[in-house]
């Protein structure tokens, strides 16, 4: 029997999904265990897979099938709608451009690793220039009305514009900078040596992974954890999730990094099976994705109930860390507010200034008002302006993030959007008494069930705006997040 247009479309979309998954697997492997000499050929392999997937998705037959498909139910309707939206964008990018960009990303990534190790921005600068040139070309190919940044941002946060992001950052700066100044003025006599006390590396990883399973539901049946230079999460299906972490003497890096990536993984795990091997089978946006990782890492993992529950477990595996402390003291320590150089180690009050800095620099690079050569100096100046810090070297400054080497221009604002949404979602979830009781006692099963029902299962079938309004009853707004910061840190630092 001749397949219908819908059946043929679904087979084609599944093939594209499989090619993307194969590329993601090669990318994951190069970050975790690939031998260094394999880098050049791996770049060619990734470019081939990206090109094949792009050609299959953008050829004329796919367009014909999208026009001819007759969805039989809501599931198929969403698949066609999301695929048509993606197809419209993808067809604006020639396959030769996609392959060129993939090769450049691979070369830039390995150059970044070496440059970061030696703290030598000059060695990475030519590659960053290439990535910015490609970003400008991509924006032109995709098209935009107001600003080229809009075209790139839309890839990660559909419907969001640079002007909206600027308004969000201006609002947060105006309402959180006074809080930071009050905290700084209040002084802090607490002993934070607990954060660097002896905690063997293997024990760090084991504790973080164990808690990820018992608190948040991550299981070795469908997930695994490895180490990488920059923690990340990859998934090749909802049954094959990979997270990475980084281990160092400052043990919160490993633990909170693991729980952050667990939030990402559990989102992908919760996407309904009906979307498997289709364009719908991913998170609604990076901002929504980040809301899950920041919720697990901060709203739950840095809460007092969490540490009252898991402090005894930490005592068993890291007695030198917990010596002379109780859960309340550890809670205070892991919520220390102190301007710092490294974004992924920043506290909740200062974190958004890190993303603001990167957003402003990306705008300058994209517009051409800031050259790549001037970037380290501009970075250091903004770090001084926003956080009062002097940057000692490029490794702790302009080279610290992986994103620019991967060509992820327009990505950074989604971290702050995720912060806002994390609180808004948790507040909505706790209208359910079972969820509120569970959160208060560090029993997160009811919360995870609420998230699966209201956020995770939908995948990309809802836009970020639709999902936010449906789950919380209002559009994304900064008020809940700002109130959360003032309440939590006002209590910790005796300001309330």
């Amino acid at each position: 029997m001749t397949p219908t247009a819908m059946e043929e479309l679904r087979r084609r979309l599944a093939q594209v999904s499989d090619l993307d998954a194969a590329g993601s697997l090669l990318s994951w492997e190069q970050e975790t265990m690939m031998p260094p000499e394999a880098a050049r050929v791996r770049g060619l392999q990734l470019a081939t897979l990206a090109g094949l997937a792009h050609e299959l998705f953008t050829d004329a037959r796919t367009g014909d099938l999208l026009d001819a498909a007759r969805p039989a139910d809501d599931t198929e309707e969403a698949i066609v709608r999301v695929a048509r939206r993606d197809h419209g964008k993808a067809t604006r990018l020639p396959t030769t451009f996609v392959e060129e960009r993939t090769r450049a990303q691979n070369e830039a990534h390995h150059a970044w690793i070496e440059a970061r190790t030696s703290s030598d921005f000059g060695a990475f600068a030519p590659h960053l220039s290439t990535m910015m040139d490609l970003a400008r070309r991509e924006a032109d190919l995709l098209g935009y009305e107001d600003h080229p940044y809009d075209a790139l941002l839309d890839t990660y946060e559909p419907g969001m514009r640079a002007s909206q992001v600027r308004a969000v950052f201006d609002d947060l700066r105006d309402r959180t900078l006074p809080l930071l100044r009050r905290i700084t003025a209040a002084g802090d006599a607490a002993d934070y040596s607990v954060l660097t006390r002896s905690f063997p590396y293997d024990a760090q990883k084991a504790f973080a992974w164990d808690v990820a399973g018992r608190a948040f539901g991550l299981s070795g049946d469908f997930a695994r954890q490895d180490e990488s230079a920059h923690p990340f999460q990859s998934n090749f299906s909802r049954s094959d999730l990979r997270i990475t972490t980084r281990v160092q003497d400052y043990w919160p890096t490993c633990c909170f990094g693991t729980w952050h990536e667990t939030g990402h993984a559990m989102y992908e795990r919760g996407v309904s099976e009906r979307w498997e091997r289709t364009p719908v089978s991913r998170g609604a946006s990076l901002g929504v994705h980040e809301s899950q990782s920041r919720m697990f890492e901060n709203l739950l993992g840095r809460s007092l109930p969490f540490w009252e529950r898991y402090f005894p477990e930490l005592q068993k595996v890291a007695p030198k860390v917990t010596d002379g402390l109780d859960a309340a003291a550890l809670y205070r320590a892991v919520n220390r507010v102190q301007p710092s150089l490294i974004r992924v180690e920043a506290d909740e009050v200062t974190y958004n200034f890190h993303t603001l800095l990167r957003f402003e620099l990306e705008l300058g690079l994209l517009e051409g008002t800031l050259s790549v050569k001037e970037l380290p100096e501009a970075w250091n100046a903004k770090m001084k302006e926003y956080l009062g810090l002097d940057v000692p070297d490029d490794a702790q400054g302009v080279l610290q993030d992986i994103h620019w080497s991967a060509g992820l221009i327009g990505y950074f604002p989604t971290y702050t959007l995720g912060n806002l949404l994390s609180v808004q979602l948790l507040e909505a979830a706790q209208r359910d008494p079972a969820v509120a009781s569970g959160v208060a006692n560090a029993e997160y099963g009811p919360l995870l069930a609420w998230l699966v029902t209201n956020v995770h299962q939908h995948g990309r079938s809802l836009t970020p705006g639709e999902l936010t309004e449906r789950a919380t009853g209002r559009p994304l707004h900064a008020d809940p997040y700002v109130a959360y910061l003032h309440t939590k840190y006002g209590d910790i630092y005796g300001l309330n």
Side-chain angles (χ1 to χ4, degrees):
M1 181 180 295
T2 303
T4 66
M6 189 70 218
E7 290 170 337
E8 186 178 345
L9 176 64
R10 292 202 65 162
R11 280 200 293 270
R12 179 171 287 241
L13 294 177
Q15 291 172 330
V16 173
S17 175
D18 292 346
L19 287 168
D20 287 340
S24 295
L25 179 58
L26 287 182
S27 295
W28 168 84
E29 193 266 352
Q30 80 170 350
E31 296 298 320
T32 55
M33 58 185 67
M34 184 187 77
E37 286 189 17
R40 183 186 65 82
V41 175
R42 179 57 50 85
L44 299 175
Q45 294 164 343
L46 288 168
T48 295
L49 286 171
L52 288 171
H54 187 76
E55 282 185 346
L56 184 61
F57 186 55
T58 59
D59 72 13
R61 182 58 181 164
T62 304
D64 292 341
L65 291 171
L66 284 167
D67 290 337
R70 297 294 178 264
D73 51 31
D74 290 345
T75 296
E76 291 186 346
E77 187 280 326
I79 291 170
V80 172
R81 172 165 38 83
V82 173
R84 182 176 287 120
R85 185 176 68 205
D86 290 351
H87 184 263
K89 293 188 67 172
T91 52
R92 299 173 196 166
L93 302 179
T95 298
T96 53
F97 174 82
V98 172
E99 292 175 339
E100 177 187 357
R101 182 181 59 185
T102 303
R103 288 191 296 270
Q105 287 168 339
N106 191 69
E107 292 173 4
H109 172 69
H110 292 284
W112 167 75
I113 291 175
E114 294 182 7
R116 185 184 180 201
T117 300
S118 58
S119 192
D120 180 9
F121 178 76
F124 176 61
H127 297 276
L128 181 55
S129 294
T130 298
M131 299 316 300
M132 291 310 306
D133 288 341
L134 287 165
R136 294 187 197 97
R137 287 168 55 192
E138 181 176 358
D140 289 340
L141 288 166
L142 292 173
Y144 55 89
E145 293 183 3
D146 298 325
H147 196 285
Y149 198 86
D150 294 344
L152 304 175
L153 177 61
D154 186 76
T155 300
Y156 310 110
E157 201 64 27
M160 186 63 67
R161 298 293 177 261
S163 58
Q164 295 172 289
V165 171
R166 169 57 74 187
V168 166
F169 277 125
D170 287 348
D171 182 35
L172 284 177
R173 182 193 60 225
D174 293 345
R175 292 203 279 170
T176 59
L177 191 56
L179 173 62
L180 177 59
R181 289 171 176 164
R182 289 180 66 203
I183 291 172
T184 302
D188 190 356
D191 180 7
Y192 293 103
S193 65
V194 58
L195 303 178
T196 53
R197 288 181 184 177
S198 177
F199 194 164
Y201 285 7
D202 288 346
Q204 287 185 38
K205 288 178 62 179
F207 173 72
W209 177 259
D210 181 58
V211 171
R214 291 199 287 139
F216 305 131
L218 195 66
S219 168
D221 292 338
F222 55 82
R224 62 172 284 149
Q225 177 174 250
D226 295 89
E227 292 185 47
S228 64
H230 191 103
F232 66 94
Q233 179 267 335
S234 292
N235 66 288
F236 319 123
S237 73
R238 64 186 301 277
S239 303
D240 190 354
L241 310 172
R242 313 293 175 96
I243 68 171
T244 69
T245 193
R246 187 171 54 168
V247 189
Q248 56 187 37
D249 293 341
Y250 181 77
W251 59 263
T253 295
C254 175
C255 290
F256 291 104
T258 295
W259 301 331
H260 178 102
E261 301 306 333
T262 295
H264 285 305
M266 294 309 295
Y267 187 175
E268 297 291 345
R269 175 66 175 176
V271 174
S272 174
E273 289 183 82
R274 62 184 172 141
W275 311 122
E276 195 104 82
R277 298 172 76 212
T278 79
V280 187
S281 187
R282 297 196 300 275
S285 74
L286 290 188
V288 178
H289 236 300
E290 195 65 15
S291 76
Q292 303 306 284
S293 60
R294 298 294 279 178
M295 183 186 295
F296 281 40
E297 174 192 1
N298 291 329
L299 306 189
L300 306 181
R302 294 185 195 271
S303 70
L304 183 56
F306 179 92
W307 285 109
E308 287 174 338
R309 173 74 182 272
Y310 289 101
F311 185 80
E313 306 298 325
L314 184 63
Q315 284 181 306
K316 294 177 185 178
V317 299
K320 292 182 180 180
V321 171
T322 59
D323 184 38
L325 299 176
D326 58 14
L330 190 65
Y331 164 72
R332 170 67 185 266
V334 299
N335 284 289
R336 182 185 193 182
V337 174
Q338 183 183 47
S340 60
L341 294 167
I342 307 301
R343 176 185 60 83
V344 296
E345 297 172 4
D347 60 80
E348 291 179 281
V349 177
T350 62
Y351 183 92
N352 293 308
F353 292 101
H354 287 265
T355 52
L356 169 59
L357 176 154
R358 289 155 174 80
F359 169 64
E360 292 181 335
L361 294 176
E362 284 186 342
L363 286 179
L365 289 168
L366 199 63
E367 294 168 348
T369 57
L370 176 68
S371 71
V372 168
K373 181 180 180 180
E374 297 168 328
L375 185 59
E377 183 179 352
W379 177 291
N380 297 348
K382 286 187 178 293
M383 187 64 73
K384 186 71 173 180
E385 175 187 355
Y386 293 140
L387 296 175
L389 298 175
D390 294 313
V391 180
D393 55 51
D394 291 338
Q396 298 178 76
V398 70
L399 287 173
Q400 67 179 266
D401 291 303
I402 194 174
H403 303 65
W404 289 338
S405 72
L408 302 178
I409 315 302
Y411 190 118
F412 281 114
T414 66
Y415 288 120
T416 288
L417 298 174
N419 282 336
L420 302 188
L421 185 56
S422 67
V423 177
Q424 192 166 323
L425 285 171
L426 186 58
E427 282 192 356
Q430 290 187 102
R431 295 171 193 155
D432 181 334
V435 174
S437 175
V439 170
N441 293 284
E443 294 282 357
Y444 302 122
L447 172 61
L448 186 60
W450 187 93
L451 290 170
V452 169
T453 298
N454 292 279
V455 180
H456 300 173
Q457 68 161 326
H458 299 297
R460 297 178 67 216
S461 65
L462 300 175
T463 67
E466 291 169 343
L467 186 148
T468 299
E469 291 208 42
R470 182 178 294 192
T472 72
R474 66 182 297 188
L476 181 66
H477 203 278
D479 287 351
Y481 182 72
V482 171
Y484 159 79
L485 291 181
H486 279 268
T487 299
K488 176 178 179 177
Y489 290 95
D491 289 345
I492 289 175
Y493 283 89
L495 305 177
N496 295 335

